[in-house]
Amino acid sequence: MSETEVRAAFAKQAAICTASGAPFTGRVCGLIGERLDRSSAIGRRLLDWPGNPSHEGDALPLRLAGGLHALARSGADAALTEAYPPNAGGENDAQLWEILAGCLVSQMALLDPWLDGPPQTNEVGRSGGLIAGLLVLSARFGLPLALYELGASAGLNTRLDRYAYRLGETEAGEAGSPLRLTPDWRGASPPAGAVRVVRRAGVDRHPLDPTDPATAERLSAYVWAGQGERLARLQAAVEIARTTPVRLDQADAADWLDAELAVEPEPGVCRVILHTIAFQYFPPEVQARVRARIEAAGEAATVEAPMAWLSYEAEGAGFERWPVLRLKTWPGGEDQGLARGHPHGAWYEWLAQRSEEA
């Protein structure tokens, strides 16, 4: 990849952050894309990035943004901490860039490791869409659910039934939960009812333990600076994770699914494969194997032992590719787009004509 593509990746990420209610992180990405040079070791590493730097590839800008946010939150660089929300430093671009450029040199040892792996955001706002899909399944089949999450990271969305929700006119989840999600809900409400989860597990190339304080802080750093509501959601979900153990395996998603998801039907349970903003990062051969395994199990499904594939993934073109909540169920293989929404779950637009017929 060329230096031009790296700068374009930072510019595009700046636009995405600004459009998504994170103008400060947008400023940071924009300034780095415009003014970064090769005078620092990190500058050279960024501008000579060997892979795909875009948000659809290695997400290079978000790797660096996470490191800078972690540094600001730690207080290890007083000037950077003062510049970052909720403080009010770095009021103009010249001042902010001077602080950022200084950190790239003086804090290289702390920042450089953040470039080694992709960001793991664990955005629990996406659980608002997922729980709506599970409500549809509960209304359709009337069975308890077994959840298999691909790309689960810290498994915060694997615990989605432990949160409380207001989805249009529908109340869902665990009443009294310390985490209550109330996204801007447009269109009809999803069906009301109880979601009964009898089994849950997840897989990730690099699973995280949210009950570890250092890991919880790392997850917090990946929340875009200035988005206090997202940070509060994450912190509440981390607290819930302490009392809701989830098995998270370190493995390739296709290998794991081949081992965990039997093709033979499981009477009395609706098995649900789910993932959010993860499938696009799987290599094509892994995508093909995952799809084949799910469809093989789906073809064997019965009314007493149904199968479901619930995903929240970007569809369409351009950086404003709103994710679509898509549900495919067996027997029958019906494929339906239930809703579209914001990448972080700030809003959802229900697409089903009538929720009770979803």
Side-chain angles (χ1 to χ4, degrees):
M1 290 291 173
S2 69
E3 176 179 326
T4 299
E5 289 168 306
V6 172
R7 295 190 187 280
F10 275 92
K12 181 173 289 188
Q13 190 62 60
I16 292 172
C17 290
T18 301
S20 298
F24 182 83
T25 303
R27 282 180 66 202
V28 168
C29 290
L31 287 170
I32 291 171
E34 293 171 2
R35 306 188 186 191
L36 185 69
D37 59 31
R38 300 176 183 275
S39 62
S40 66
I42 283 189
R44 292 189 290 274
R45 184 179 180 188
L46 289 167
L47 294 175
D48 293 331
W49 191 255
N52 178 0
S54 80
H55 67 288
E56 297 176 338
D58 297 335
L60 183 60
L62 293 183
R63 297 186 188 201
L64 181 60
L68 287 167
H69 194 196
L71 182 61
R73 287 172 56 85
S74 74
D77 189 292
L80 188 70
T81 299
E82 181 60 28
Y84 263 63
N87 301 315
E91 295 180 356
N92 61 71
D93 286 353
Q95 180 187 35
L96 180 57
W97 173 246
E98 182 179 357
I99 294 169
L100 292 171
C103 284
L104 295 180
V105 175
S106 65
Q107 304 293 342
M108 184 193 72
L110 292 174
L111 292 174
D112 194 59
W114 286 82
L115 302 183
D116 292 338
Q120 293 179 273
T121 55
N122 279 252
E123 179 46 65
V124 292
R126 296 169 187 159
S127 284
L130 292 178
I131 199 73
L134 297 187
L135 286 167
V136 170
L137 288 173
S138 294
R140 184 173 297 176
F141 297 117
L143 293 172
L145 309 175
L147 308 182
Y148 304 72
E149 186 178 12
L150 309 182
S153 193
L156 299 184
N157 288 319
T158 322
R159 299 168 167 93
L160 76 171
D161 57 311
R162 291 293 316 280
Y163 313 147
Y165 304 87
R166 176 73 177 183
L167 310 174
E169 298 179 357
T170 299
E171 295 279 350
E174 188 172 295
S177 172
L179 176 54
R180 181 173 171 82
L181 299 175
T182 58
D184 176 16
W185 197 267
R186 307 166 188 177
S189 303
V195 171
R196 296 175 291 154
V197 177
V198 295
R199 190 171 71 242
R200 72 188 85 218
V203 63
D204 198 276
R205 283 283 195 180
H206 304 285
L208 301 176
D209 178 7
T211 66
D212 173 64
T215 300
E217 178 56 33
R218 186 175 183 86
L219 292 172
S220 298
Y222 282 127
V223 175
W224 297 344
Q227 293 195 314
E229 184 177 350
R230 285 184 67 202
L231 186 60
R233 289 200 303 257
L234 172 67
Q235 292 170 341
V238 166
E239 289 303 311
I240 291 171
R242 300 183 192 280
T243 59
T244 308
V246 169
R247 176 169 64 89
L248 297 177
D249 296 326
Q250 182 173 15
D252 170 88
D255 291 342
W256 183 83
L257 202 60
D258 284 347
E260 294 291 324
L261 182 68
V263 171
E264 296 75 20
E266 183 178 345
V269 175
C270 178
R271 294 180 293 170
V272 187
I273 311 303
L274 54 88
H275 50 83
T276 67
I277 320 297
F279 201 73
Q280 69 186 55
Y281 298 115
F282 296 169
E285 62 274 14
V286 173
Q287 292 182 5
R289 288 181 57 204
V290 165
R291 186 177 293 108
R293 187 67 176 189
I294 295 173
E295 291 179 349
E299 289 302 315
T302 67
V303 174
E304 295 77 22
M307 268 286 305
W309 185 1
L310 180 64
S311 63
Y312 190 59
E313 300 283 350
E315 297 185 7
F319 76 82
E320 290 186 340
R321 298 189 308 157
W322 300 123
V324 172
L325 182 69
R326 185 165 294 282
L327 178 64
K328 189 169 185 178
T329 57
W330 293 268
E334 178 185 358
D335 190 343
Q336 183 179 21
L338 295 178
R340 69 168 61 91
H342 186 275
H344 299 150
W347 58 266
Y348 293 94
E349 179 186 0
W350 195 249
L351 301 177
Q353 290 185 351
R354 291 175 58 83
S355 61
E356 64 268 27
E357 297 174 357

